[in-house]
Every structure is written in structure tokens, then in C-alpha cells.
Amino acid sequence: MKQTIRDWFPNGELLATARHQEGKINLPLSEHGFWQVDEIDLTERERFLVSLFREHHTPQEATNPWQVYLMTGRGEMPQDVTRLQFLHARLWTQADGTTIKEWLEMMAQLLPHQVAHFQLNQRDHIFVLDQGQLLDVKEVLVDTIEAMEFDFGLRMTLFLGQIWARVQDLPRLFQAELDWFDKWQSFYQSSTVLTFSQLFLWGQAQASKDFDYLAQTLSAMIMSQDQLDEIILALWKEGAVLTKAAQRLYIHRNTLQYRLDRWHEISGLQLKELTDLSLCYNLILSDLF
């Protein structure tokens, strides 16, 4: 049986696009993406061969300012956006330039709050969304993904990331989302719309430093909202029934609804949905004991 890069370096990690990190080497795969390995795992001869390959296969530098900022962390955010969300799109089907152009035009119509788009490789696209005024992107995508696949002859997975509000290290959060989407793709290749909550709950079994950073950042967002942790706990205990949760909190049901709507506007998370509620409940668990 023919040996592959993964066979030679079993401790590597699959990435959708090359990540430039100290002590890491990105080896391109024949199918798609990169296999990232620790430089110390390579012999001196292997390092020499990799250096020769790089001299003759230097990838084109990213020119999109959002791509440069998010992938390298250099400079400042290209546009001041108070609440920002990433839509990660993986196209499983190869398509010609005309088809991709028409698909991108359709995406621009579906996402009027799009501030940027860039392509990581042949299959992976990133859409940067301004969620200063909340648009329920999940509903839009779920309603249209089947029609898009049929109309353009594509098969795709769309991952809608978390809404981040003025966080300190946006590139790190972006790359953590990208890494978790990469990991999910190594197990599944479904035509579907994934939410951050779904991917986060799935990813708990595969915890890492990137996962911890996502959890810490989102947990800090919860704790910054007055009594939101108490609301989450009450909803969890009452099975997301608003009337009972309001009674447990000794507040009017309309007051509770207002606070839920406010959190939805800030984070994109809907606490009346069990998946989003489960995510938030998991994040506050450590503070309950």
C-alpha cells in the first residue's frame, strides 16, 4: 500500500489552510488542505527537502486585508465593526470560475451585511459579517442551502461562527473556529448548516487550548451581562419554559423575554433553543460548584 504524508507523520494535524506558527511546518496534501507537523519531528535531511520544495512552490501572498489580519494577526482590524461573525463555507464539489462567481453573487444577495469575502484555498471561503444590527443568518441559510446546491451543482457545508463583540484577540478566535471546523470535516462531509453551538458541543470531546480559549471568551461575554447566568440556570431547570423560569427568577415574563432578546442581539444565541441553552449552561457549570 502506498504511504501518505499522514502515514509518515501520524502526529500531524489536518488544516484547511496553512498556518504560519513557530516550530511548525505545513505540508500540502494532494486532496486538499495541509498536514501540519512539528519541525522537531523531521530529520535534518527531511528539513532540507522541505526547504527545497518551498523555494519552488512559494504560495501567493494574501492581498485581502481581512485575510491578512485574521490569518497573521498583524495590524489592526480593517474596518471597525462592533459585532462581527464569520461564515465558513466548504465546497465539496469542484466548480469552474463562472459557477463560483455566480454562487458568490447569490451569497452577496443573501448576506447584505457582508463586509468582506476571501478564499483560503480552492474549496474554503470566508464571509465576514457585520452583526451590529442582527440578521438571523442561520434561518436564511437553512432555507436556501438546498436550492443553492441544486442551482449551482455544488455540495457544501456552511458553518456559522459565534458573534463576537469587541473582543481582544479576534484573529485567535477566528483561527480557533477554523481549526474546529477543520476537525469536524475530518469526521463528516455532510451538506448542512452548522451553528457554533452544535460544533462547540461536539468539540467538547476533543478539547484543546483553542477550545479552552473559545470557551473562556464566550463565558466572559455571559458574565458581562447582568444576571444572565441566573437566567440560564432558571431556563435549564425549567426546561426552557419562559413562564416557569420567570416565576423562579421573580420577574415578569416580558422582562425575561426582553433580556433574552437582548442576549440574542448581542451574541446570536437563542436561549429558548435547547442547543444554544445547552452551550451556555455548559459554560457556567464551573461557577455553580
PDB file of all heavy atoms in Angstrom, residues 154-188:
ATOM      1  N   LEU A 154     -23.493  22.307  -6.645  1.00  0.00           N
ATOM      2  CA  LEU A 154     -22.478  22.259  -5.599  1.00  0.00           C
ATOM      3  C   LEU A 154     -22.971  21.423  -4.415  1.00  0.00           C
ATOM      4  O   LEU A 154     -24.168  21.280  -4.193  1.00  0.00           O
ATOM      5  CB  LEU A 154     -22.150  23.669  -5.103  1.00  0.00           C
ATOM      6  CG  LEU A 154     -21.566  24.652  -6.114  1.00  0.00           C
ATOM      7  CD1 LEU A 154     -21.492  26.050  -5.507  1.00  0.00           C
ATOM      8  CD2 LEU A 154     -20.185  24.199  -6.573  1.00  0.00           C
ATOM      9  N   ARG A 155     -22.019  20.891  -3.663  1.00  0.00           N
ATOM     10  CA  ARG A 155     -22.334  20.303  -2.365  1.00  0.00           C
ATOM     11  C   ARG A 155     -21.489  21.044  -1.339  1.00  0.00           C
ATOM     12  O   ARG A 155     -20.275  21.192  -1.532  1.00  0.00           O
ATOM     13  CB  ARG A 155     -22.021  18.804  -2.346  1.00  0.00           C
ATOM     14  CG  ARG A 155     -22.586  18.075  -1.136  1.00  0.00           C
ATOM     15  CD  ARG A 155     -22.508  16.574  -1.333  1.00  0.00           C
ATOM     16  NE  ARG A 155     -21.127  16.117  -1.369  1.00  0.00           N
ATOM     17  CZ  ARG A 155     -20.395  15.868  -0.275  1.00  0.00           C
ATOM     18  NH1 ARG A 155     -20.921  16.060   0.935  1.00  0.00           N
ATOM     19  NH2 ARG A 155     -19.158  15.457  -0.379  1.00  0.00           N
ATOM     20  N   MET A 156     -22.128  21.519  -0.281  1.00  0.00           N
ATOM     21  CA  MET A 156     -21.412  22.403   0.632  1.00  0.00           C
ATOM     22  C   MET A 156     -21.789  22.174   2.086  1.00  0.00           C
ATOM     23  O   MET A 156     -22.873  21.670   2.404  1.00  0.00           O
ATOM     24  CB  MET A 156     -21.679  23.871   0.261  1.00  0.00           C
ATOM     25  CG  MET A 156     -23.111  24.315   0.463  1.00  0.00           C
ATOM     26  SD  MET A 156     -23.437  26.007  -0.159  1.00  0.00           S
ATOM     27  CE  MET A 156     -23.540  25.704  -1.928  1.00  0.00           C
ATOM     28  N   THR A 157     -20.867  22.547   2.966  1.00  0.00           N
ATOM     29  CA  THR A 157     -21.129  22.647   4.392  1.00  0.00           C
ATOM     30  C   THR A 157     -20.888  24.099   4.797  1.00  0.00           C
ATOM     31  O   THR A 157     -19.847  24.658   4.477  1.00  0.00           O
ATOM     32  CB  THR A 157     -20.199  21.738   5.216  1.00  0.00           C
ATOM     33  OG1 THR A 157     -20.344  20.392   4.789  1.00  0.00           O
ATOM     34  CG2 THR A 157     -20.557  21.816   6.701  1.00  0.00           C
ATOM     35  N   LEU A 158     -21.854  24.682   5.484  1.00  0.00           N
ATOM     36  CA  LEU A 158     -21.748  26.066   5.941  1.00  0.00           C
ATOM     37  C   LEU A 158     -21.697  26.069   7.466  1.00  0.00           C
ATOM     38  O   LEU A 158     -22.568  25.500   8.126  1.00  0.00           O
ATOM     39  CB  LEU A 158     -22.949  26.888   5.455  1.00  0.00           C
ATOM     40  CG  LEU A 158     -23.173  26.900   3.932  1.00  0.00           C
ATOM     41  CD1 LEU A 158     -24.449  27.658   3.592  1.00  0.00           C
ATOM     42  CD2 LEU A 158     -21.980  27.510   3.213  1.00  0.00           C
ATOM     43  N   PHE A 159     -20.666  26.695   8.013  1.00  0.00           N
ATOM     44  CA  PHE A 159     -20.512  26.792   9.468  1.00  0.00           C
ATOM     45  C   PHE A 159     -20.623  28.252   9.881  1.00  0.00           C
ATOM     46  O   PHE A 159     -19.805  29.087   9.497  1.00  0.00           O
ATOM     47  CB  PHE A 159     -19.167  26.205   9.909  1.00  0.00           C
ATOM     48  CG  PHE A 159     -18.764  26.574  11.310  1.00  0.00           C
ATOM     49  CD1 PHE A 159     -19.664  26.504  12.365  1.00  0.00           C
ATOM     50  CD2 PHE A 159     -17.469  27.006  11.582  1.00  0.00           C
ATOM     51  CE1 PHE A 159     -19.285  26.855  13.663  1.00  0.00           C
ATOM     52  CE2 PHE A 159     -17.082  27.359  12.865  1.00  0.00           C
ATOM     53  CZ  PHE A 159     -17.996  27.278  13.909  1.00  0.00           C
ATOM     54  N   LEU A 160     -21.655  28.551  10.649  1.00  0.00           N
ATOM     55  CA  LEU A 160     -21.904  29.912  11.112  1.00  0.00           C
ATOM     56  C   LEU A 160     -21.274  30.093  12.482  1.00  0.00           C
ATOM     57  O   LEU A 160     -21.723  29.503  13.472  1.00  0.00           O
ATOM     58  CB  LEU A 160     -23.409  30.172  11.173  1.00  0.00           C
ATOM     59  CG  LEU A 160     -23.856  31.608  11.436  1.00  0.00           C
ATOM     60  CD1 LEU A 160     -23.350  32.546  10.344  1.00  0.00           C
ATOM     61  CD2 LEU A 160     -25.366  31.684  11.535  1.00  0.00           C
ATOM     62  N   GLY A 161     -20.205  30.898  12.525  1.00  0.00           N
ATOM     63  CA  GLY A 161     -19.483  31.090  13.773  1.00  0.00           C
ATOM     64  C   GLY A 161     -20.241  31.952  14.771  1.00  0.00           C
ATOM     65  O   GLY A 161     -21.339  32.442  14.520  1.00  0.00           O
ATOM     66  N   GLN A 162     -19.618  32.136  15.921  1.00  0.00           N
ATOM     67  CA  GLN A 162     -20.201  32.925  17.004  1.00  0.00           C
ATOM     68  C   GLN A 162     -20.137  34.422  16.668  1.00  0.00           C
ATOM     69  O   GLN A 162     -19.243  34.861  15.922  1.00  0.00           O
ATOM     70  CB  GLN A 162     -19.439  32.645  18.301  1.00  0.00           C
ATOM     71  CG  GLN A 162     -19.874  33.452  19.507  1.00  0.00           C
ATOM     72  CD  GLN A 162     -21.335  33.265  19.834  1.00  0.00           C
ATOM     73  OE1 GLN A 162     -21.879  32.187  19.662  1.00  0.00           O
ATOM     74  NE2 GLN A 162     -21.977  34.310  20.280  1.00  0.00           N
ATOM     75  N   ILE A 163     -21.063  35.194  17.197  1.00  0.00           N
ATOM     76  CA  ILE A 163     -20.983  36.656  17.094  1.00  0.00           C
ATOM     77  C   ILE A 163     -20.051  37.148  18.197  1.00  0.00           C
ATOM     78  O   ILE A 163     -20.299  36.903  19.382  1.00  0.00           O
ATOM     79  CB  ILE A 163     -22.372  37.309  17.222  1.00  0.00           C
ATOM     80  CG1 ILE A 163     -23.256  36.906  16.033  1.00  0.00           C
ATOM     81  CG2 ILE A 163     -22.244  38.833  17.302  1.00  0.00           C
ATOM     82  CD1 ILE A 163     -24.675  37.450  16.108  1.00  0.00           C
ATOM     83  N   TRP A 164     -18.989  37.837  17.802  1.00  0.00           N
ATOM     84  CA  TRP A 164     -18.001  38.348  18.764  1.00  0.00           C
ATOM     85  C   TRP A 164     -18.118  39.865  18.849  1.00  0.00           C
ATOM     86  O   TRP A 164     -18.090  40.549  17.839  1.00  0.00           O
ATOM     87  CB  TRP A 164     -16.587  37.958  18.333  1.00  0.00           C
ATOM     88  CG  TRP A 164     -16.386  36.480  18.182  1.00  0.00           C
ATOM     89  CD1 TRP A 164     -16.182  35.790  17.016  1.00  0.00           C
ATOM     90  CD2 TRP A 164     -16.375  35.500  19.224  1.00  0.00           C
ATOM     91  NE1 TRP A 164     -16.030  34.451  17.273  1.00  0.00           N
ATOM     92  CE2 TRP A 164     -16.149  34.240  18.619  1.00  0.00           C
ATOM     93  CE3 TRP A 164     -16.533  35.558  20.618  1.00  0.00           C
ATOM     94  CZ2 TRP A 164     -16.080  33.050  19.352  1.00  0.00           C
ATOM     95  CZ3 TRP A 164     -16.462  34.377  21.346  1.00  0.00           C
ATOM     96  CH2 TRP A 164     -16.237  33.148  20.721  1.00  0.00           C
ATOM     97  N   ALA A 165     -18.250  40.372  20.071  1.00  0.00           N
ATOM     98  CA  ALA A 165     -18.460  41.808  20.289  1.00  0.00           C
ATOM     99  C   ALA A 165     -17.221  42.432  20.921  1.00  0.00           C
ATOM    100  O   ALA A 165     -16.956  42.252  22.115  1.00  0.00           O
ATOM    101  CB  ALA A 165     -19.680  42.033  21.182  1.00  0.00           C
ATOM    102  N   ARG A 166     -16.434  43.139  20.097  1.00  0.00           N
ATOM    103  CA  ARG A 166     -15.245  43.883  20.553  1.00  0.00           C
ATOM    104  C   ARG A 166     -14.346  43.032  21.459  1.00  0.00           C
ATOM    105  O   ARG A 166     -14.024  43.410  22.588  1.00  0.00           O
ATOM    106  CB  ARG A 166     -15.658  45.166  21.283  1.00  0.00           C
ATOM    107  CG  ARG A 166     -16.320  46.189  20.365  1.00  0.00           C
ATOM    108  CD  ARG A 166     -16.419  47.558  21.012  1.00  0.00           C
ATOM    109  NE  ARG A 166     -17.064  48.528  20.167  1.00  0.00           N
ATOM    110  CZ  ARG A 166     -16.478  49.159  19.140  1.00  0.00           C
ATOM    111  NH1 ARG A 166     -15.230  48.887  18.846  1.00  0.00           N
ATOM    112  NH2 ARG A 166     -17.150  50.044  18.425  1.00  0.00           N
ATOM    113  N   VAL A 167     -13.944  41.871  20.985  1.00  0.00           N
ATOM    114  CA  VAL A 167     -13.044  41.001  21.737  1.00  0.00           C
ATOM    115  C   VAL A 167     -11.604  41.426  21.483  1.00  0.00           C
ATOM    116  O   VAL A 167     -11.295  42.105  20.509  1.00  0.00           O
ATOM    117  CB  VAL A 167     -13.241  39.529  21.331  1.00  0.00           C
ATOM    118  CG1 VAL A 167     -14.590  39.025  21.810  1.00  0.00           C
ATOM    119  CG2 VAL A 167     -13.119  39.349  19.821  1.00  0.00           C
ATOM    120  N   GLN A 168     -10.703  41.003  22.367  1.00  0.00           N
ATOM    121  CA  GLN A 168      -9.315  41.458  22.290  1.00  0.00           C
ATOM    122  C   GLN A 168      -8.548  40.804  21.148  1.00  0.00           C
ATOM    123  O   GLN A 168      -7.838  41.475  20.413  1.00  0.00           O
ATOM    124  CB  GLN A 168      -8.612  41.181  23.625  1.00  0.00           C
ATOM    125  CG  GLN A 168      -9.040  42.127  24.738  1.00  0.00           C
ATOM    126  CD  GLN A 168      -8.194  41.945  25.984  1.00  0.00           C
ATOM    127  OE1 GLN A 168      -7.547  40.923  26.159  1.00  0.00           O
ATOM    128  NE2 GLN A 168      -8.187  42.940  26.849  1.00  0.00           N
ATOM    129  N   ASP A 169      -8.657  39.493  21.016  1.00  0.00           N
ATOM    130  CA  ASP A 169      -7.831  38.770  20.039  1.00  0.00           C
ATOM    131  C   ASP A 169      -8.727  38.089  19.012  1.00  0.00           C
ATOM    132  O   ASP A 169      -8.910  36.876  19.029  1.00  0.00           O
ATOM    133  CB  ASP A 169      -6.960  37.737  20.769  1.00  0.00           C
ATOM    134  CG  ASP A 169      -5.814  37.241  19.894  1.00  0.00           C
ATOM    135  OD1 ASP A 169      -5.881  37.474  18.667  1.00  0.00           O
ATOM    136  OD2 ASP A 169      -4.874  36.627  20.417  1.00  0.00           O
ATOM    137  N   LEU A 170      -9.269  38.878  18.104  1.00  0.00           N
ATOM    138  CA  LEU A 170     -10.188  38.352  17.090  1.00  0.00           C
ATOM    139  C   LEU A 170      -9.506  37.332  16.173  1.00  0.00           C
ATOM    140  O   LEU A 170     -10.107  36.296  15.860  1.00  0.00           O
ATOM    141  CB  LEU A 170     -10.784  39.500  16.280  1.00  0.00           C
ATOM    142  CG  LEU A 170     -11.906  39.127  15.313  1.00  0.00           C
ATOM    143  CD1 LEU A 170     -13.112  38.568  16.056  1.00  0.00           C
ATOM    144  CD2 LEU A 170     -12.318  40.342  14.484  1.00  0.00           C
ATOM    145  N   PRO A 171      -8.259  37.570  15.699  1.00  0.00           N
ATOM    146  CA  PRO A 171      -7.616  36.557  14.843  1.00  0.00           C
ATOM    147  C   PRO A 171      -7.512  35.191  15.512  1.00  0.00           C
ATOM    148  O   PRO A 171      -7.699  34.162  14.868  1.00  0.00           O
ATOM    149  CB  PRO A 171      -6.236  37.158  14.568  1.00  0.00           C
ATOM    150  CG  PRO A 171      -6.454  38.633  14.652  1.00  0.00           C
ATOM    151  CD  PRO A 171      -7.441  38.809  15.773  1.00  0.00           C
ATOM    152  N   ARG A 172      -7.233  35.182  16.814  1.00  0.00           N
ATOM    153  CA  ARG A 172      -7.112  33.893  17.506  1.00  0.00           C
ATOM    154  C   ARG A 172      -8.467  33.182  17.558  1.00  0.00           C
ATOM    155  O   ARG A 172      -8.543  31.964  17.379  1.00  0.00           O
ATOM    156  CB  ARG A 172      -6.561  34.095  18.913  1.00  0.00           C
ATOM    157  CG  ARG A 172      -6.316  32.786  19.652  1.00  0.00           C
ATOM    158  CD  ARG A 172      -5.720  32.995  21.018  1.00  0.00           C
ATOM    159  NE  ARG A 172      -5.590  31.741  21.737  1.00  0.00           N
ATOM    160  CZ  ARG A 172      -5.184  31.656  22.996  1.00  0.00           C
ATOM    161  NH1 ARG A 172      -4.842  32.747  23.666  1.00  0.00           N
ATOM    162  NH2 ARG A 172      -5.099  30.471  23.597  1.00  0.00           N
ATOM    163  N   LEU A 173      -9.538  33.936  17.802  1.00  0.00           N
ATOM    164  CA  LEU A 173     -10.873  33.342  17.820  1.00  0.00           C
ATOM    165  C   LEU A 173     -11.254  32.821  16.439  1.00  0.00           C
ATOM    166  O   LEU A 173     -11.839  31.731  16.302  1.00  0.00           O
ATOM    167  CB  LEU A 173     -11.896  34.373  18.307  1.00  0.00           C
ATOM    168  CG  LEU A 173     -11.787  34.773  19.776  1.00  0.00           C
ATOM    169  CD1 LEU A 173     -12.684  35.976  20.062  1.00  0.00           C
ATOM    170  CD2 LEU A 173     -12.167  33.609  20.684  1.00  0.00           C
ATOM    171  N   PHE A 174     -10.932  33.608  15.405  1.00  0.00           N
ATOM    172  CA  PHE A 174     -11.213  33.172  14.034  1.00  0.00           C
ATOM    173  C   PHE A 174     -10.489  31.870  13.728  1.00  0.00           C
ATOM    174  O   PHE A 174     -11.070  30.921  13.189  1.00  0.00           O
ATOM    175  CB  PHE A 174     -10.791  34.259  13.045  1.00  0.00           C
ATOM    176  CG  PHE A 174     -10.752  33.788  11.617  1.00  0.00           C
ATOM    177  CD1 PHE A 174     -11.920  33.620  10.891  1.00  0.00           C
ATOM    178  CD2 PHE A 174      -9.535  33.497  11.001  1.00  0.00           C
ATOM    179  CE1 PHE A 174     -11.891  33.171   9.577  1.00  0.00           C
ATOM    180  CE2 PHE A 174      -9.492  33.048   9.694  1.00  0.00           C
ATOM    181  CZ  PHE A 174     -10.675  32.878   8.974  1.00  0.00           C
ATOM    182  N   GLN A 175      -9.199  31.808  14.062  1.00  0.00           N
ATOM    183  CA  GLN A 175      -8.414  30.618  13.759  1.00  0.00           C
ATOM    184  C   GLN A 175      -8.869  29.420  14.590  1.00  0.00           C
ATOM    185  O   GLN A 175      -8.823  28.277  14.119  1.00  0.00           O
ATOM    186  CB  GLN A 175      -6.931  30.904  13.970  1.00  0.00           C
ATOM    187  CG  GLN A 175      -6.373  31.882  12.953  1.00  0.00           C
ATOM    188  CD  GLN A 175      -4.906  32.181  13.145  1.00  0.00           C
ATOM    189  OE1 GLN A 175      -4.142  31.332  13.611  1.00  0.00           O
ATOM    190  NE2 GLN A 175      -4.487  33.385  12.794  1.00  0.00           N
ATOM    191  N   ALA A 176      -9.358  29.671  15.810  1.00  0.00           N
ATOM    192  CA  ALA A 176      -9.887  28.573  16.622  1.00  0.00           C
ATOM    193  C   ALA A 176     -11.159  28.009  15.984  1.00  0.00           C
ATOM    194  O   ALA A 176     -11.339  26.790  15.913  1.00  0.00           O
ATOM    195  CB  ALA A 176     -10.171  29.063  18.039  1.00  0.00           C
ATOM    196  N   GLU A 177     -12.040  28.898  15.503  1.00  0.00           N
ATOM    197  CA  GLU A 177     -13.238  28.433  14.797  1.00  0.00           C
ATOM    198  C   GLU A 177     -12.840  27.635  13.561  1.00  0.00           C
ATOM    199  O   GLU A 177     -13.402  26.567  13.281  1.00  0.00           O
ATOM    200  CB  GLU A 177     -14.107  29.619  14.382  1.00  0.00           C
ATOM    201  CG  GLU A 177     -14.865  30.277  15.505  1.00  0.00           C
ATOM    202  CD  GLU A 177     -15.894  31.284  15.010  1.00  0.00           C
ATOM    203  OE1 GLU A 177     -15.940  31.555  13.782  1.00  0.00           O
ATOM    204  OE2 GLU A 177     -16.650  31.807  15.843  1.00  0.00           O
ATOM    205  N   LEU A 178     -11.871  28.149  12.821  1.00  0.00           N
ATOM    206  CA  LEU A 178     -11.412  27.489  11.596  1.00  0.00           C
ATOM    207  C   LEU A 178     -10.849  26.105  11.906  1.00  0.00           C
ATOM    208  O   LEU A 178     -11.133  25.129  11.200  1.00  0.00           O
ATOM    209  CB  LEU A 178     -10.353  28.364  10.921  1.00  0.00           C
ATOM    210  CG  LEU A 178      -9.999  28.064   9.466  1.00  0.00           C
ATOM    211  CD1 LEU A 178     -11.215  28.198   8.563  1.00  0.00           C
ATOM    212  CD2 LEU A 178      -8.888  29.008   9.006  1.00  0.00           C
ATOM    213  N   ASP A 179     -10.075  26.005  12.979  1.00  0.00           N
ATOM    214  CA  ASP A 179      -9.489  24.719  13.364  1.00  0.00           C
ATOM    215  C   ASP A 179     -10.572  23.702  13.731  1.00  0.00           C
ATOM    216  O   ASP A 179     -10.486  22.531  13.364  1.00  0.00           O
ATOM    217  CB  ASP A 179      -8.532  24.901  14.544  1.00  0.00           C
ATOM    218  CG  ASP A 179      -7.212  25.529  14.123  1.00  0.00           C
ATOM    219  OD1 ASP A 179      -6.902  25.486  12.916  1.00  0.00           O
ATOM    220  OD2 ASP A 179      -6.495  26.057  14.989  1.00  0.00           O
ATOM    221  N   TRP A 180     -11.596  24.161  14.467  1.00  0.00           N
ATOM    222  CA  TRP A 180     -12.648  23.232  14.880  1.00  0.00           C
ATOM    223  C   TRP A 180     -13.479  22.791  13.694  1.00  0.00           C
ATOM    224  O   TRP A 180     -13.925  21.640  13.623  1.00  0.00           O
ATOM    225  CB  TRP A 180     -13.527  23.856  15.965  1.00  0.00           C
ATOM    226  CG  TRP A 180     -12.841  23.747  17.280  1.00  0.00           C
ATOM    227  CD1 TRP A 180     -12.268  24.743  18.009  1.00  0.00           C
ATOM    228  CD2 TRP A 180     -12.583  22.540  17.992  1.00  0.00           C
ATOM    229  NE1 TRP A 180     -11.676  24.237  19.127  1.00  0.00           N
ATOM    230  CE2 TRP A 180     -11.852  22.881  19.148  1.00  0.00           C
ATOM    231  CE3 TRP A 180     -12.889  21.196  17.767  1.00  0.00           C
ATOM    232  CZ2 TRP A 180     -11.426  21.932  20.079  1.00  0.00           C
ATOM    233  CZ3 TRP A 180     -12.471  20.243  18.688  1.00  0.00           C
ATOM    234  CH2 TRP A 180     -11.752  20.621  19.824  1.00  0.00           C
ATOM    235  N   PHE A 181     -13.677  23.678  12.735  1.00  0.00           N
ATOM    236  CA  PHE A 181     -14.391  23.293  11.515  1.00  0.00           C
ATOM    237  C   PHE A 181     -13.549  22.272  10.730  1.00  0.00           C
ATOM    238  O   PHE A 181     -14.080  21.299  10.185  1.00  0.00           O
ATOM    239  CB  PHE A 181     -14.669  24.533  10.671  1.00  0.00           C
ATOM    240  CG  PHE A 181     -15.603  24.297   9.510  1.00  0.00           C
ATOM    241  CD1 PHE A 181     -16.616  23.350   9.572  1.00  0.00           C
ATOM    242  CD2 PHE A 181     -15.475  25.036   8.345  1.00  0.00           C
ATOM    243  CE1 PHE A 181     -17.477  23.135   8.505  1.00  0.00           C
ATOM    244  CE2 PHE A 181     -16.328  24.834   7.266  1.00  0.00           C
ATOM    245  CZ  PHE A 181     -17.322  23.877   7.346  1.00  0.00           C
ATOM    246  N   ASP A 182     -12.236  22.484  10.677  1.00  0.00           N
ATOM    247  CA  ASP A 182     -11.336  21.522  10.029  1.00  0.00           C
ATOM    248  C   ASP A 182     -11.456  20.151  10.686  1.00  0.00           C
ATOM    249  O   ASP A 182     -11.529  19.120  10.008  1.00  0.00           O
ATOM    250  CB  ASP A 182      -9.883  21.995  10.126  1.00  0.00           C
ATOM    251  CG  ASP A 182      -9.572  23.144   9.195  1.00  0.00           C
ATOM    252  OD1 ASP A 182     -10.387  23.420   8.299  1.00  0.00           O
ATOM    253  OD2 ASP A 182      -8.517  23.770   9.375  1.00  0.00           O
ATOM    254  N   LYS A 183     -11.449  20.133  12.023  1.00  0.00           N
ATOM    255  CA  LYS A 183     -11.534  18.857  12.748  1.00  0.00           C
ATOM    256  C   LYS A 183     -12.856  18.157  12.444  1.00  0.00           C
ATOM    257  O   LYS A 183     -12.899  16.932  12.248  1.00  0.00           O
ATOM    258  CB  LYS A 183     -11.382  19.094  14.252  1.00  0.00           C
ATOM    259  CG  LYS A 183      -9.964  19.431  14.693  1.00  0.00           C
ATOM    260  CD  LYS A 183      -9.895  19.602  16.201  1.00  0.00           C
ATOM    261  CE  LYS A 183      -8.446  19.774  16.661  1.00  0.00           C
ATOM    262  NZ  LYS A 183      -7.839  21.013  16.203  1.00  0.00           N
ATOM    263  N   TRP A 184     -13.943  18.914  12.433  1.00  0.00           N
ATOM    264  CA  TRP A 184     -15.259  18.326  12.130  1.00  0.00           C
ATOM    265  C   TRP A 184     -15.245  17.702  10.739  1.00  0.00           C
ATOM    266  O   TRP A 184     -15.784  16.606  10.536  1.00  0.00           O
ATOM    267  CB  TRP A 184     -16.322  19.419  12.233  1.00  0.00           C
ATOM    268  CG  TRP A 184     -17.724  18.915  12.029  1.00  0.00           C
ATOM    269  CD1 TRP A 184     -18.587  18.456  12.984  1.00  0.00           C
ATOM    270  CD2 TRP A 184     -18.429  18.825  10.773  1.00  0.00           C
ATOM    271  NE1 TRP A 184     -19.781  18.076  12.412  1.00  0.00           N
ATOM    272  CE2 TRP A 184     -19.713  18.296  11.062  1.00  0.00           C
ATOM    273  CE3 TRP A 184     -18.109  19.144   9.459  1.00  0.00           C
ATOM    274  CZ2 TRP A 184     -20.667  18.080  10.067  1.00  0.00           C
ATOM    275  CZ3 TRP A 184     -19.045  18.929   8.457  1.00  0.00           C
ATOM    276  CH2 TRP A 184     -20.307  18.399   8.768  1.00  0.00           C
ATOM    277  N   GLN A 185     -14.610  18.392   9.790  1.00  0.00           N
ATOM    278  CA  GLN A 185     -14.562  17.897   8.410  1.00  0.00           C
ATOM    279  C   GLN A 185     -13.752  16.608   8.277  1.00  0.00           C
ATOM    280  O   GLN A 185     -13.929  15.853   7.321  1.00  0.00           O
ATOM    281  CB  GLN A 185     -13.971  18.959   7.485  1.00  0.00           C
ATOM    282  CG  GLN A 185     -14.850  20.180   7.303  1.00  0.00           C
ATOM    283  CD  GLN A 185     -14.120  21.288   6.578  1.00  0.00           C
ATOM    284  OE1 GLN A 185     -13.523  21.065   5.537  1.00  0.00           O
ATOM    285  NE2 GLN A 185     -14.146  22.484   7.130  1.00  0.00           N
ATOM    286  N   SER A 186     -12.854  16.348   9.211  1.00  0.00           N
ATOM    287  CA  SER A 186     -12.093  15.101   9.158  1.00  0.00           C
ATOM    288  C   SER A 186     -12.953  13.903   9.559  1.00  0.00           C
ATOM    289  O   SER A 186     -12.575  12.752   9.318  1.00  0.00           O
ATOM    290  CB  SER A 186     -10.853  15.192  10.059  1.00  0.00           C
ATOM    291  OG  SER A 186     -11.220  15.259  11.428  1.00  0.00           O
ATOM    292  N   PHE A 187     -14.127  14.177  10.161  1.00  0.00           N
ATOM    293  CA  PHE A 187     -15.064  13.112  10.534  1.00  0.00           C
ATOM    294  C   PHE A 187     -16.290  13.059   9.616  1.00  0.00           C
ATOM    295  O   PHE A 187     -16.823  11.991   9.343  1.00  0.00           O
ATOM    296  CB  PHE A 187     -15.553  13.315  11.976  1.00  0.00           C
ATOM    297  CG  PHE A 187     -14.510  13.075  13.026  1.00  0.00           C
ATOM    298  CD1 PHE A 187     -13.702  14.116  13.463  1.00  0.00           C
ATOM    299  CD2 PHE A 187     -14.325  11.816  13.564  1.00  0.00           C
ATOM    300  CE1 PHE A 187     -12.733  13.898  14.439  1.00  0.00           C
ATOM    301  CE2 PHE A 187     -13.359  11.584  14.540  1.00  0.00           C
ATOM    302  CZ  PHE A 187     -12.564  12.635  14.975  1.00  0.00           C
ATOM    303  N   TYR A 188     -16.751  14.229   9.172  1.00  0.00           N
ATOM    304  CA  TYR A 188     -18.016  14.309   8.434  1.00  0.00           C
ATOM    305  C   TYR A 188     -17.849  15.157   7.170  1.00  0.00           C
ATOM    306  O   TYR A 188     -17.002  16.039   7.107  1.00  0.00           O
ATOM    307  CB  TYR A 188     -19.113  14.944   9.307  1.00  0.00           C
ATOM    308  CG  TYR A 188     -19.223  14.336  10.680  1.00  0.00           C
ATOM    309  CD1 TYR A 188     -18.686  14.983  11.791  1.00  0.00           C
ATOM    310  CD2 TYR A 188     -19.860  13.117  10.881  1.00  0.00           C
ATOM    311  CE1 TYR A 188     -18.780  14.434  13.063  1.00  0.00           C
ATOM    312  CE2 TYR A 188     -19.958  12.560  12.139  1.00  0.00           C
ATOM    313  CZ  TYR A 188     -19.412  13.222  13.234  1.00  0.00           C
ATOM    314  OH  TYR A 188     -19.509  12.668  14.482  1.00  0.00           O
TER     315      TYR A 188
END
